[in-house]
Amino acid sequence: MASSPSGSLVSADVRRHNLALVAHRLAQQGPLSRSQLADATGLARGSVTALVAALLEAGVVRESEEPEAAPRGSASRGRPLTLLRLAADDVALLVLQLDADQATAVLTAVDGRALFRASEHHGRPMGDPGRVLDVLARVLARTLDAAAGLGRRVADLTVVVFAPIGGTPPVVVADTDLEWGEVDVLGELGRRIPELPPATLASDGTVAALAELAELEAAGTGVRDLVYAKSNSGIGGAVVAEGALVAGAHGFAGAFGHISVDPHGARCLCGQCGCLVTVAGPDVVLAEAGLTAVVAERGLTEALRELVARIQDGEARAGAAWEAALPWIAHALRIVTMTVDPEVVVLGGYWSELAESIADAFAQDGPAIAATATIAVVPGLLGEDAALLGAARVARDALLDDPLALTTIPASSSMI
């Protein structure tokens, strides 16, 4: 009997799901044999053989023979083992990041290998988005040209900004580090580079949170609910519940720098009074520590490294600036954790290096209602590249949801 159209659609969906399952396992676990893939995915070995054949034919996967690990205590090499690994050798993912100091672009292969990296300082012209976006466009053009030179098609472009975003299409809502109000970053890049690939705008906290969650999962912690809070360029973060990002109805979830902790405080660029960023933002702490000149001379990132070093060395002025900021940070974290009740708070940016003092401040004067539920406050695992790594991982996972579609991505254009 001939199958019905609806039955064919179901079969196609099941096949696409199983192809994605195989591709995701290779991305997460590295090279595997067919039998190892069957064990990892729970699929029948015959099904894995057919799925792998389709991925090999499409060039998404390649195979190679490697010796099996020899038995312990044996000097002999094991028998040859055919391993499968992600290939897609003509495809690349591009992440473009704009922080308070510089524009950075990273081109990676689907298997996560770095192919090209470029960066340029923008000089932090306060309140002048055009000059900063000119630098961002130059770095992007240079990287697109590098992709073309490597024979790679850019399958995904993610633009990461260190600021809250919102709206449809998404725009930067406010960037306190650069004194921006609303800025259409993707639209402005499109005007500077007419052949801009389809692009996604992401806030650094969201993609960094997902990358940190993946690291915790890989370590076998079982964590599925976390708050990621960071400070480097501004203050931000994200909430993850049951392994999924909580974006909120308007995309503002995780904009912790704009929690109003002091209603009678200074007016923030966002329009509120007493936002966390106005009392504990990096520029505020650096100014109180006497490091404003270092920001001007060496940039925000280097100034924050100097701040951390001085605090850890016991320098009085830096220590006093940090002690003044700590209660506000702890207060904001208590508001967030009492709202979403995570298993853990992961700290990023320069806060990760001062995690112990934040954890101590957070533990003081906590609400009695939460006394039986300990929420750990821990440093992040990925350092300064957390957002870059997270954006690349999110893009890769989205592509691997339909791995055969990698063969239909149009070629990238040279921009220079």
Side-chain angles (χ1 to χ4, degrees):
M1 180 196 291
S3 61
S4 67
S6 60
S8 299
L9 289 173
V10 170
S11 287
D13 287 343
V14 170
R15 183 170 184 267
R16 184 164 51 248
H17 172 270
N18 289 341
L19 285 165
L21 192 57
V22 169
H24 280 294
R25 282 294 179 271
L26 291 174
Q28 293 160 2
Q29 296 178 227
L32 298 170
S33 68
R34 286 169 174 80
S35 61
Q36 289 169 335
L37 268 172
D39 293 340
T41 60
L43 298 171
R45 297 198 178 192
S47 296
V48 167
T49 298
L51 294 166
V52 165
L55 293 170
L56 285 168
E57 183 179 358
V60 176
V61 165
R62 77 160 70 89
E63 60 184 353
S64 61
E65 283 198 353
E66 300 181 19
E68 187 178 26
R72 180 173 295 179
S74 171
S76 62
R77 302 180 74 187
R79 62 183 174 81
L81 189 66
T82 300
L83 295 181
L84 301 153
R85 66 186 71 231
L86 284 179
D89 293 330
D90 62 340
V91 172
L93 309 174
L94 200 165
V95 179
L96 183 65
Q97 178 175 283
L98 178 66
D99 63 30
D101 289 324
Q102 63 184 9
T104 303
V106 175
L107 194 70
T108 62
V110 175
D111 64 4
R113 287 177 298 114
L115 301 171
F116 180 83
R117 183 170 182 141
S119 63
E120 184 177 337
H121 284 266
H122 52 63
R124 211 181 185 200
M126 305 302 281
D128 189 350
R131 287 173 58 193
V132 175
L133 291 169
D134 286 343
V135 174
L136 190 66
R138 282 200 301 271
V139 172
L140 173 57
R142 195 182 316 155
T143 308
L144 289 170
D145 197 55
L150 292 168
R152 296 271 180 167
R153 298 170 291 141
V154 175
D156 182 90
L157 168 62
T158 304
V159 181
V160 177
V161 291
F162 283 56
I165 61 174
T168 305
V171 299
V172 168
V173 177
D175 187 328
T176 54
D177 279 321
L178 296 174
E179 293 185 359
W180 288 6
E182 185 174 302
V183 178
D184 182 4
V185 172
L186 296 184
E188 290 297 325
L189 283 177
R191 278 186 274 279
R192 287 163 171 79
I193 301 179
E195 297 179 54
L196 186 74
T200 302
L201 188 67
S203 182
D204 69 304
T206 61
V207 288
L210 293 173
E212 293 286 2
L213 175 67
E215 290 295 307
L216 290 170
E217 289 176 335
T221 62
V223 168
R224 302 285 289 164
D225 296 83
L226 66 82
V227 165
Y228 176 75
K230 65 92 195 183
S231 181
N232 41 15
S233 182
I235 295 174
V239 176
V240 176
E242 289 297 315
L245 186 70
V246 178
H250 306 95
F252 297 151
F256 304 142
H258 296 285
I259 294 174
S260 178
V261 292
D262 181 8
H264 304 294
R267 186 167 296 279
C268 178
L269 185 64
C270 77
Q272 297 186 113
C273 289
C275 288
L276 179 61
V277 75
T278 68
V279 290
D283 282 327
V284 174
V285 179
L286 287 166
E288 291 298 317
L291 291 169
T292 302
V294 179
V295 178
E297 294 166 7
R298 292 157 47 193
L300 181 65
T301 301
E302 288 298 323
L304 288 172
R305 288 177 184 151
E306 179 67 21
L307 172 69
V308 169
R310 292 189 184 190
I311 292 170
Q312 293 175 339
D313 287 344
E315 198 267 336
R317 186 171 179 182
W322 181 238
E323 288 299 320
L326 266 177
W328 297 114
I329 296 168
H331 178 60
L333 290 179
R334 282 195 290 269
I335 291 171
V336 174
T337 55
M338 285 301 294
T339 303
V340 301
D341 191 22
E343 297 168 83
V344 62
V345 175
V346 178
L347 300 175
Y350 87 95
W351 283 359
S352 67
E353 299 181 74
L354 301 169
E356 186 175 353
S357 61
I358 294 176
D360 288 344
F362 176 78
Q364 294 172 13
D365 302 322
I369 192 173
T372 59
T374 301
I375 299 173
V377 178
V378 301
L381 300 172
L382 294 175
E384 294 177 357
D385 276 353
L388 285 165
L389 294 168
R393 184 172 291 174
V394 168
R396 179 202 70 188
D397 288 348
L399 288 173
L400 294 183
D401 283 342
D402 188 5
L404 295 186
L406 288 168
T407 62
T408 64
I409 297 165
S412 305
S413 299
S414 175
M415 294 293 156
I416 297 177

